[in-house]
Amino acid sequence: MMDFARTRKLFYMPDGVIYLDGNSLGPLPHSAVERVSSLMTHQWGEMLIRGWNDAQWMTMPRRIGDRVGRLIGAPAGTVVMGDTLSIKVYQALASALDLVEDKSRRVILSDSGNFPSDLYMAEGLIKSLDRGYVLKVVAPDEVEAAINETVAVTMLTEVDYRTGRLHDMKVLTAKAHAVGALAIWDLAHSAGAIPVDLAGAEADFAVGCTYKYLNGGPGAPAFIYVAPKWADKARPALSGWLGHERPFAFDLTYRPGDGIDRMRVGTPPIIALAALDAALDAWDGIDMADIRQKSIALCDLFIREVEGKCPSLKLGSPRDGTQRGSQVSFIHPEGYAIMQALISRGVIGDFRAPDAIRFGFTPLYIDETDVRAAVDILADIMTNNLWDQPQFKQKALVT
Amino acid sequence: MMDFARTRKLFYMPDGVIYLDGNSLGPLPHSAVERVSSLMTHQWGEMLIRGWNDAQWMTMPRRIGDRVGRLIGAPAGTVVMGDTLSIKVYQALASALDLVEDKSRRVILSDSGNFPSDLYMAEGLIKSLDRGYVLKVVAPDEVEAAINETVAVTMLTEVDYRTGRLHDMKVLTAKAHAVGALAIWDLAHSAGAIPVDLAGAEADFAVGCTYKYLNGGPGAPAFIYVAPKWADKARPALSGWLGHERPFAFDLTYRPGDGIDRMRVGTPPIIALAALDAALDAWDGIDMADIRQKSIALCDLFIREVEGKCPSLKLGSPRDGTQRGSQVSFIHPEGYAIMQALISRGVIGDFRAPDAIRFGFTPLYIDETDVRAAVDILADIMTNNLWDQPQFKQKALVT
């Protein structure tokens, strides 16, 4: 197995913390502080407006898009950064509905394991379009059977944010194509977590965020992938000036830019992109197959240890590592309090309503020792009911 | 006149630079570097995911929205930060079209002095809606006459990005309301440039960016204002999870949050918000009336000096300061080369196609001495045709 001692050193980890929430917000890469500080001082400060040319800010969304693309099986020039994941979902869905051949179809197919914001954005788009589109939400294991000739677009998150259950992107995309539908994939819990092969799976669109496994920082920019076959045909819906063929001609009418560039909208968030760019350095030379191997080993170990030591916790994730992303959930009616107790002891995971405690395993900086230590603390909390205290039951704004 | 020596010291200015482009990208506030660095190190690094609660990241878009609100006449709780200006235009327009009483109206009225991205976003929305909406673009001085019973929404930028020509927000909004239309205002070149009274003008929606006069940094987050009367009725169109009534309930269906919160979409860009928050400190205790007084004085001086020393340059902005924002343009067929020559001598303004050289005047850090020195250099360039060199005619990606 590959040794990740090198990458572990790239991240700051507070003393006494075992961080099993990198699937929600990745930790700080040491180099990001200096990178951002340097961009602010030497580029923004010294170059001022000239930074757009002299420091090549304007092309950052494409350059960084290519770096992300390498991790998700996207060819160079097919990914661009910008906005938030929710905005990118909207663009992908609006484009896909436009491109689907049979315009009479009205079903957007998703599942109840999709992240709610994706569903909300689809709802908002459907209301705007007011053309009778229906968002059909089935159980995750019913998706494949529900892909039929009524479906215009499938809109799925590859890895279920609560359970870690993994959809088979290749199989479901092929099924969508076989019935004449287009496939959109949300890679929020995939990018940097598992090997993804967008080109090989012939996905039509993909979107994702970069603050989880890619460690870009709180609210880091999102990405969108458009398959080369659609790149010059897709209508971006959110047609902003930086997606225009010639933004600085300041024409009064919109002409979409070439290929993926048309998915750009407004002025890119340069400071945030600098942090992300620094974070992506950790991935240089990393093979996602090595990440996957270690990720499965860590998750398997965690499951085995928790089941051995905490019998009241019920596994909420697939047991088979090949059917799972890089996270594990356990179910308990007092999940919220248990997670607060864990956090108070330095083991940071998170809680997903109504009853899941969720743990992310991130090979870049988490190893077997962390897993064992975390389970020992969890076992102490469970065995001695240490979670059963008022201060652990007080709900915070963000869970 | 108020003395701005205090605020001038808050910004970094490279040696030898006279910066007359703060209307495009404000300069670096010294405190922003430390603020961002501290947020990254002490909040992201130490708190990790807990920052969302413990450092109150989740409420930053509202807290900072209130700080911006004070500068644009918006009551507390009516402004929220997020996304880019183009995205916020889309939200405002989609909401306004929904709210207008007479649903048979099909005209969105704008003018040729609006920033192209606003027009592009409207085009994109119109195509999505596919309900026969028409974007009617008239000359800026024809706007008032064009506001009639066919108009659903007026969508105007208060200060023309090329000429600085100022629309009368109060008069045009009243006219829009008189005919039963709603009024959206883009404050890109207003916020921090001139006194704005959104509440007094009874504007329905307003949007703006923060990287110009508010000095938030390249690609800093945008803002949106919704009039209190619409706040609980507006449909955000881009209905993301952070605009949901209870984001962390992870419901499968969307319920808009209270008031301005529903205009939030995805996860907020915390690092960028920290830079902006630091930049806004410069505005503490500043009265926009003082800014306006000095701004007009600087612009008037610039016009007088340029017209006296550079007869081949033709004023492209209103001569009357009360009809102008905080910027001045001059027209010349060789404007691009002239601006490049100026920049090579340390006087930074910008060029707006086809023939305008544009200069922003920002009282927080620019004074009379700067203006006189800039004009002397401009006069030297014009008198001696120093712009007429090949290296000044080569077009850059970003102008």
Side-chain angles (χ1 to χ4, degrees), chain A residues 31-91:
Chain A
S31 64
V33 182
E34 170 54 25
R35 189 78 59 91
V36 166
S37 180
S38 169
L39 178 131
M40 292 179 75
T41 305
H42 302 299
Q43 296 185 10
W44 178 13
E46 294 290 341
M47 298 177 182
L48 295 152
I49 190 70
R50 296 167 296 187
W52 289 107
N53 286 312
D54 297 355
Q56 301 187 289
W57 292 343
M58 196 47 85
T59 50
M60 276 177 96
R62 284 288 298 274
R63 288 202 313 280
I64 297 177
D66 282 345
R67 301 191 77 183
V68 172
R70 188 185 75 78
L71 303 174
I72 55 176
T78 61
V79 175
V80 72
M81 311 305 300
D83 305 300
T84 63
L85 175 49
S86 296
I87 295 292
K88 286 333 202 186
V89 166
Y90 192 89
Q91 281 195 298

Coordinates of all heavy atoms in Angstrom, one line a residue, chain A residues 31-91:
Chain A
S31 N 0.2 25.2 3.0 CA 0.7 26.0 1.9 C -0.4 27.0 1.5 O -0.1 28.0 0.8 CB 1.1 25.2 0.7 OG -0.1 24.5 0.2
A32 N -1.7 26.8 1.8 CA -2.8 27.6 1.4 C -2.7 29.0 2.0 O -3.0 30.0 1.4 CB -4.1 27.0 1.7
V33 N -2.2 29.1 3.3 CA -2.1 30.4 4.0 C -1.1 31.3 3.3 O -1.4 32.4 2.9 CB -1.7 30.2 5.5 CG1 -1.7 31.5 6.2 CG2 -2.7 29.2 6.2
E34 N 0.0 30.7 3.0 CA 1.1 31.5 2.3 C 0.6 31.8 0.9 O 0.9 32.9 0.4 CB 2.4 30.6 2.3 CG 3.5 31.2 1.4 CD 3.8 32.7 1.8 OE1 3.6 33.1 2.9 OE2 4.3 33.3 0.8
R35 N 0.0 30.9 0.2 CA -0.4 31.1 -1.2 C -1.4 32.3 -1.3 O -1.3 33.2 -2.1 CB -1.1 29.9 -1.8 CG -1.3 30.0 -3.3 CD -0.1 29.8 -4.1 NE 0.5 28.5 -3.8 CZ 0.3 27.4 -4.5 NH1 -0.5 27.4 -5.5 NH2 0.8 26.2 -4.1
V36 N -2.4 32.3 -0.4 CA -3.4 33.3 -0.4 C -2.8 34.7 0.0 O -3.0 35.7 -0.6 CB -4.6 32.9 0.6 CG1 -5.5 34.2 0.8 CG2 -5.4 31.8 -0.1
S37 N -2.0 34.6 1.1 CA -1.3 35.8 1.5 C -0.4 36.4 0.4 O -0.4 37.6 0.2 CB -0.5 35.4 2.8 OG 0.2 36.6 3.2
S38 N 0.3 35.6 -0.3 CA 1.1 36.0 -1.4 C 0.3 36.6 -2.5 O 0.6 37.6 -3.1 CB 2.0 34.9 -1.8 OG 2.6 35.2 -3.0
L39 N -0.8 35.9 -2.8 CA -1.7 36.5 -3.9 C -2.2 37.8 -3.5 O -2.2 38.8 -4.3 CB -2.8 35.5 -4.2 CG -3.8 36.0 -5.3 CD1 -4.0 35.0 -6.4 CD2 -5.1 36.6 -4.7
M40 N -2.6 37.9 -2.3 CA -3.2 39.2 -1.8 C -2.1 40.3 -1.9 O -2.3 41.4 -2.4 CB -3.8 39.1 -0.5 CG -5.1 38.2 -0.4 SD -5.8 38.0 1.2 CE -6.6 39.6 1.4
T41 N -0.9 40.0 -1.3 CA 0.1 41.0 -1.2 C 0.8 41.3 -2.6 O 0.9 42.5 -3.0 CB 1.2 40.5 -0.2 OG1 0.5 40.2 1.0 CG2 2.2 41.6 0.0
H42 N 1.2 40.3 -3.2 CA 2.0 40.5 -4.4 C 1.2 40.7 -5.7 O 1.7 41.2 -6.7 CB 3.1 39.4 -4.6 CG 4.0 39.2 -3.4 ND1 4.8 40.2 -3.0 CD2 4.1 38.2 -2.5 CE1 5.5 39.9 -1.9 NE2 5.1 38.6 -1.6
Q43 N 0.0 40.1 -5.7 CA -0.8 40.2 -6.9 C -1.8 41.3 -6.8 O -1.7 42.4 -7.4 CB -1.4 38.9 -7.3 CG -0.3 37.9 -7.7 CD -0.8 36.5 -8.2 OE1 -2.0 36.4 -8.4 NE2 0.0 35.5 -8.3
W44 N -2.8 41.1 -5.9 CA -3.8 42.2 -5.7 C -3.1 43.5 -5.3 O -3.4 44.5 -5.9 CB -4.8 41.7 -4.6 CG -5.9 42.7 -4.3 CD1 -6.2 43.8 -5.0 CD2 -6.8 42.6 -3.2 NE1 -7.3 44.5 -4.3 CE2 -7.6 43.7 -3.2 CE3 -6.9 41.7 -2.1 CZ2 -8.6 44.0 -2.3 CZ3 -7.9 41.9 -1.2 CH2 -8.8 43.1 -1.3
G45 N -2.3 43.4 -4.3 CA -1.7 44.7 -3.8 C -0.8 45.4 -4.8 O -0.9 46.5 -5.1
E46 N 0.1 44.6 -5.4 CA 1.1 45.2 -6.3 C 0.6 45.5 -7.7 O 0.9 46.5 -8.4 CB 2.4 44.4 -6.4 CG 3.2 44.3 -5.1 CD 3.9 45.6 -4.8 OE1 4.0 46.5 -5.6 OE2 4.2 45.7 -3.6
M47 N -0.1 44.5 -8.2 CA -0.6 44.6 -9.6 C -1.9 45.3 -9.8 O -2.2 45.8 -10.8 CB -0.7 43.2 -10.2 CG 0.5 42.3 -10.3 SD 0.2 40.7 -10.9 CE 1.8 39.9 -10.8
L48 N -2.7 45.3 -8.7 CA -4.0 45.9 -8.7 C -4.8 45.3 -9.9 O -4.7 44.1 -10.1 CB -3.9 47.4 -8.8 CG -3.3 48.0 -7.5 CD1 -2.5 49.3 -7.8 CD2 -4.4 48.2 -6.5
I49 N -5.5 46.1 -10.7 CA -6.3 45.6 -11.8 C -5.5 44.8 -12.8 O -6.0 43.9 -13.5 CB -7.0 46.8 -12.5 CG1 -8.1 46.3 -13.5 CG2 -6.0 47.7 -13.2 CD1 -9.3 45.6 -12.8
R50 N -4.2 45.1 -12.9 CA -3.4 44.3 -13.9 C -3.2 42.9 -13.6 O -2.8 42.1 -14.5 CB -2.0 45.0 -13.9 CG -2.0 46.5 -14.4 CD -0.7 47.2 -14.1 NE -0.4 47.3 -12.7 CZ 0.6 47.9 -12.2 NH1 1.5 48.6 -13.0 NH2 0.8 48.0 -10.9
G51 N -3.6 42.5 -12.4 CA -3.5 41.0 -12.0 C -4.4 40.1 -13.0 O -4.0 39.0 -13.2
W52 N -5.4 40.7 -13.5 CA -6.3 39.9 -14.4 C -5.5 39.4 -15.6 O -5.7 38.3 -16.1 CB -7.5 40.7 -14.8 CG -8.5 40.9 -13.7 CD1 -8.8 42.0 -13.0 CD2 -9.3 39.9 -13.1 NE1 -9.7 41.8 -12.1 CE2 -10.1 40.5 -12.1 CE3 -9.5 38.5 -13.4 CZ2 -11.0 39.8 -11.3 CZ3 -10.4 37.8 -12.6 CH2 -11.1 38.5 -11.6
N53 N -4.6 40.2 -16.1 CA -3.7 39.8 -17.1 C -2.4 39.2 -16.6 O -2.0 38.1 -16.9 CB -3.4 40.9 -18.1 CG -4.6 41.3 -19.0 OD1 -5.2 40.4 -19.6 ND2 -4.9 42.6 -19.0
D54 N -1.7 40.1 -15.8 CA -0.3 39.8 -15.5 C -0.2 38.5 -14.6 O 0.8 37.8 -14.6 CB 0.4 41.0 -14.8 CG 0.5 42.2 -15.7 OD1 0.1 42.0 -16.9 OD2 0.9 43.3 -15.3
A55 N -1.1 38.3 -13.7 CA -1.1 37.1 -12.9 C -2.0 36.0 -13.4 O -2.3 35.0 -12.8 CB -1.5 37.5 -11.4
Q56 N -2.6 36.3 -14.6 CA -3.4 35.3 -15.3 C -4.6 34.9 -14.4 O -5.0 33.7 -14.4 CB -2.6 34.1 -15.7 CG -1.5 34.5 -16.7 CD -0.8 33.3 -17.2 OE1 -0.1 32.6 -16.6 NE2 -1.1 33.0 -18.5
W57 N -5.2 35.8 -13.7 CA -6.4 35.5 -12.9 C -7.5 35.0 -13.8 O -8.3 34.2 -13.4 CB -6.9 36.7 -12.1 CG -6.0 37.2 -11.0 CD1 -5.0 36.5 -10.4 CD2 -6.0 38.5 -10.4 NE1 -4.4 37.3 -9.4 CE2 -5.0 38.5 -9.4 CE3 -6.8 39.6 -10.5 CZ2 -4.8 39.6 -8.6 CZ3 -6.6 40.7 -9.7 CH2 -5.6 40.7 -8.8
M58 N -7.6 35.6 -14.9 CA -8.8 35.4 -15.8 C -8.9 33.9 -16.2 O -10.0 33.4 -16.4 CB -8.8 36.3 -17.0 CG -10.1 36.5 -17.7 SD -11.6 36.7 -16.6 CE -11.6 38.5 -16.4
T59 N -7.7 33.3 -16.3 CA -7.8 31.9 -16.8 C -7.7 30.9 -15.6 O -7.7 29.7 -15.9 CB -6.6 31.6 -17.8 OG1 -5.4 32.1 -17.2 CG2 -6.9 32.4 -19.1
M60 N -7.7 31.4 -14.4 CA -7.6 30.4 -13.3 C -8.7 29.4 -13.3 O -8.5 28.2 -13.0 CB -7.6 31.2 -11.9 CG -6.3 31.7 -11.5 SD -6.4 32.7 -9.9 CE -6.0 31.4 -8.7
P61 N -10.0 29.8 -13.6 CA -11.1 28.8 -13.5 C -10.8 27.6 -14.4 O -11.3 26.5 -14.1 CB -12.3 29.6 -13.9 CG -12.0 31.0 -13.5 CD -10.5 31.2 -13.8
R62 N -10.2 27.9 -15.6 CA -9.9 26.8 -16.5 C -8.7 26.0 -16.1 O -8.7 24.7 -16.1 CB -9.7 27.3 -17.9 CG -10.9 27.8 -18.6 CD -11.7 26.6 -19.1 NE -11.0 25.7 -20.0 CZ -11.0 25.9 -21.3 NH1 -11.7 26.9 -21.9 NH2 -10.3 25.1 -22.1
R63 N -7.6 26.7 -15.6 CA -6.4 26.0 -15.2 C -6.7 25.0 -14.0 O -6.3 23.9 -14.0 CB -5.3 26.9 -14.8 CG -4.7 27.7 -16.0 CD -3.3 28.2 -15.7 NE -3.2 28.9 -14.4 CZ -3.6 30.2 -14.2 NH1 -4.1 30.9 -15.2 NH2 -3.5 30.7 -13.0
I64 N -7.4 25.6 -13.0 CA -7.7 24.8 -11.9 C -8.8 23.7 -12.2 O -8.7 22.6 -11.7 CB -8.2 25.7 -10.7 CG1 -7.1 26.6 -10.3 CG2 -8.7 24.9 -9.5 CD1 -7.4 27.6 -9.2
G65 N -9.6 24.0 -13.1 CA -10.6 23.0 -13.6 C -9.9 21.8 -14.2 O -10.3 20.7 -13.9
D66 N -8.8 22.0 -14.9 CA -8.0 20.9 -15.4 C -7.4 20.1 -14.3 O -7.3 18.9 -14.4 CB -6.9 21.4 -16.4 CG -7.5 21.8 -17.8 OD1 -8.6 21.4 -18.1 OD2 -6.8 22.5 -18.5
R67 N -7.0 20.8 -13.3 CA -6.4 20.0 -12.1 C -7.4 19.1 -11.5 O -7.1 18.0 -11.1 CB -5.8 21.0 -11.1 CG -4.7 21.9 -11.6 CD -4.0 22.6 -10.5 NE -3.0 21.7 -9.8 CZ -2.3 22.1 -8.7 NH1 -2.5 23.3 -8.2 NH2 -1.5 21.2 -8.2
V68 N -8.6 19.7 -11.3 CA -9.7 18.9 -10.7 C -10.1 17.8 -11.7 O -10.3 16.6 -11.3 CB -10.9 19.7 -10.4 CG1 -12.1 18.9 -10.0 CG2 -10.6 20.7 -9.3
G69 N -10.1 18.1 -13.0 CA -10.5 17.2 -14.0 C -9.7 15.9 -14.0 O -10.2 14.8 -14.2
R70 N -8.4 16.0 -13.7 CA -7.5 14.8 -13.7 C -8.0 13.8 -12.6 O -7.8 12.6 -12.8 CB -6.1 15.3 -13.3 CG -5.0 14.1 -13.5 CD -3.7 14.5 -13.0 NE -3.5 14.6 -11.6 CZ -3.3 13.6 -10.7 NH1 -3.4 12.3 -11.2 NH2 -3.1 13.8 -9.5
L71 N -8.6 14.3 -11.6 CA -9.0 13.4 -10.5 C -10.4 12.8 -10.7 O -10.8 11.9 -10.0 CB -9.1 14.2 -9.1 CG -7.8 14.9 -8.7 CD1 -8.0 15.8 -7.5 CD2 -6.7 13.9 -8.5
I72 N -11.1 13.2 -11.7 CA -12.4 12.7 -12.0 C -12.6 12.2 -13.4 O -13.7 12.0 -13.9 CB -13.5 13.8 -11.7 CG1 -13.2 15.1 -12.5 CG2 -13.6 14.1 -10.2 CD1 -14.3 16.2 -12.3
G73 N -11.5 11.9 -14.0 CA -11.5 11.3 -15.4 C -12.1 12.2 -16.4 O -12.8 11.7 -17.4
A74 N -11.8 13.5 -16.3 CA -12.3 14.5 -17.3 C -11.1 14.9 -18.1 O -10.1 15.4 -17.5 CB -13.0 15.6 -16.6
P75 N -11.2 14.9 -19.4 CA -10.1 15.4 -20.3 C -9.8 16.8 -20.0 O -10.7 17.6 -19.6 CB -10.6 15.1 -21.7 CG -11.8 14.3 -21.6 CD -12.4 14.4 -20.2
A76 N -8.6 17.3 -20.3 CA -8.3 18.7 -20.2 C -9.3 19.5 -21.0 O -9.7 19.1 -22.1 CB -6.9 18.9 -20.7
G77 N -9.7 20.7 -20.5 CA -10.6 21.6 -21.2 C -12.1 21.2 -21.1 O -12.9 21.8 -21.8
T78 N -12.4 20.3 -20.2 CA -13.8 20.0 -20.0 C -14.4 20.4 -18.7 O -15.6 20.2 -18.4 CB -14.1 18.5 -20.2 OG1 -13.3 17.8 -19.1 CG2 -13.6 18.0 -21.5
V79 N -13.6 21.0 -17.8 CA -14.0 21.4 -16.5 C -13.7 22.8 -16.2 O -12.6 23.3 -16.6 CB -13.3 20.5 -15.4 CG1 -13.7 21.0 -14.0 CG2 -13.7 19.0 -15.5
V80 N -14.6 23.5 -15.6 CA -14.3 24.9 -15.2 C -14.9 25.2 -13.8 O -15.9 24.6 -13.4 CB -14.9 25.9 -16.3 CG1 -16.4 26.0 -16.2 CG2 -14.3 27.3 -16.1
M81 N -14.1 26.1 -13.1 CA -14.5 26.4 -11.7 C -15.4 27.6 -11.6 O -15.3 28.5 -12.5 CB -13.2 26.6 -10.9 CG -12.1 25.6 -11.0 SD -12.6 23.9 -10.7 CE -13.2 24.1 -9.0
G82 N -16.2 27.7 -10.6 CA -16.9 28.9 -10.4 C -18.2 28.7 -9.6 O -18.7 27.6 -9.5
D83 N -18.7 29.7 -9.0 CA -20.0 29.7 -8.3 C -20.0 28.6 -7.2 O -19.0 28.3 -6.7 CB -21.1 29.4 -9.3 CG -21.1 30.4 -10.5 OD1 -21.2 31.6 -10.2 OD2 -20.9 30.0 -11.6
T84 N -21.2 28.2 -6.8 CA -21.4 27.1 -5.9 C -22.0 25.9 -6.5 O -22.5 26.0 -7.7 CB -22.4 27.6 -4.7 OG1 -23.7 27.8 -5.3 CG2 -21.9 28.8 -4.1
L85 N -21.9 24.8 -5.8 CA -22.4 23.6 -6.4 C -23.9 23.7 -6.8 O -24.3 23.2 -7.9 CB -22.2 22.4 -5.4 CG -22.8 21.1 -5.7 CD1 -22.4 20.6 -7.1 CD2 -22.3 20.1 -4.7
S86 N -24.7 24.4 -6.0 CA -26.1 24.5 -6.3 C -26.3 25.3 -7.6 O -27.1 24.9 -8.4 CB -26.8 25.3 -5.2 OG -26.8 24.6 -4.0
I87 N -25.5 26.3 -7.8 CA -25.6 27.0 -9.1 C -25.2 26.1 -10.3 O -25.8 26.2 -11.3 CB -24.7 28.3 -9.0 CG1 -25.2 29.3 -8.0 CG2 -24.6 28.9 -10.4 CD1 -26.5 30.0 -8.3
K88 N -24.2 25.3 -10.1 CA -23.7 24.5 -11.1 C -24.7 23.4 -11.5 O -24.9 22.9 -12.6 CB -22.3 23.9 -10.8 CG -21.2 24.9 -10.9 CD -21.4 26.0 -11.9 CE -20.2 26.7 -12.5 NZ -20.6 27.9 -13.3
V89 N -25.5 22.9 -10.4 CA -26.5 21.9 -10.7 C -27.6 22.6 -11.6 O -28.1 21.9 -12.5 CB -27.2 21.5 -9.3 CG1 -28.5 20.8 -9.5 CG2 -26.2 20.6 -8.5
Y90 N -27.9 23.8 -11.3 CA -28.9 24.5 -12.1 C -28.5 24.6 -13.5 O -29.3 24.4 -14.5 CB -29.1 25.9 -11.5 CG -30.3 26.7 -12.0 CD1 -31.6 26.6 -11.3 CD2 -30.2 27.6 -13.0 CE1 -32.7 27.3 -11.7 CE2 -31.3 28.3 -13.4 CZ -32.5 28.2 -12.8 OH -33.6 28.9 -13.2
Q91 N -27.2 25.0 -13.7 CA -26.7 25.1 -15.1 C -26.8 23.8 -15.8 O -27.2 23.7 -17.0 CB -25.3 25.6 -15.1 CG -25.2 27.1 -14.9 CD -23.7 27.6 -15.2 OE1 -22.8 27.1 -14.6 NE2 -23.6 28.4 -16.2

